[in-house]
Amino acid sequence: MTPNVGGIDRTLRIVAGLVLLSLFFLLEGNARYWGLIGIVPILTGFFRFCPVYPLLGINTCPMKKG
């Protein structure tokens, strides 16, 4: 997996993921489980790879292609 998520994109993904994940602890009832969707941006931020980006031809990572 070649990294395709850059620095700012990575930071925004992790912050947004943490905000969404916090909904799991703040909401009550079945609505709280929507907060678990925050796991996806957290993982894509940590691994620096978004599986949707290659399909769309997007690469925000400043690394040079070898």
Side-chain angles (χ1 to χ4, degrees):
M1 291 187 310
T2 305
N4 63 3
V5 175
I8 295 173
D9 190 9
R10 181 181 189 195
T11 304
L12 291 174
R13 285 172 180 267
I14 293 172
V15 170
L18 290 173
V19 168
L20 287 170
L21 194 57
S22 71
L23 294 176
F24 180 77
F25 301 103
L26 297 175
L27 297 177
E28 295 181 10
N30 289 335
R32 68 187 301 195
Y33 294 106
W34 282 100
L36 293 177
I37 203 161
I39 294 172
V40 174
I42 290 173
L43 290 176
T44 59
F46 279 128
F47 290 115
R48 299 186 70 132
F49 179 77
C50 178
V52 177
Y53 273 12
L55 299 173
L56 300 174
I58 300 172
N59 185 355
T60 62
C61 188
M63 299 174 116
K64 294 182 180 178
K65 294 181 181 176

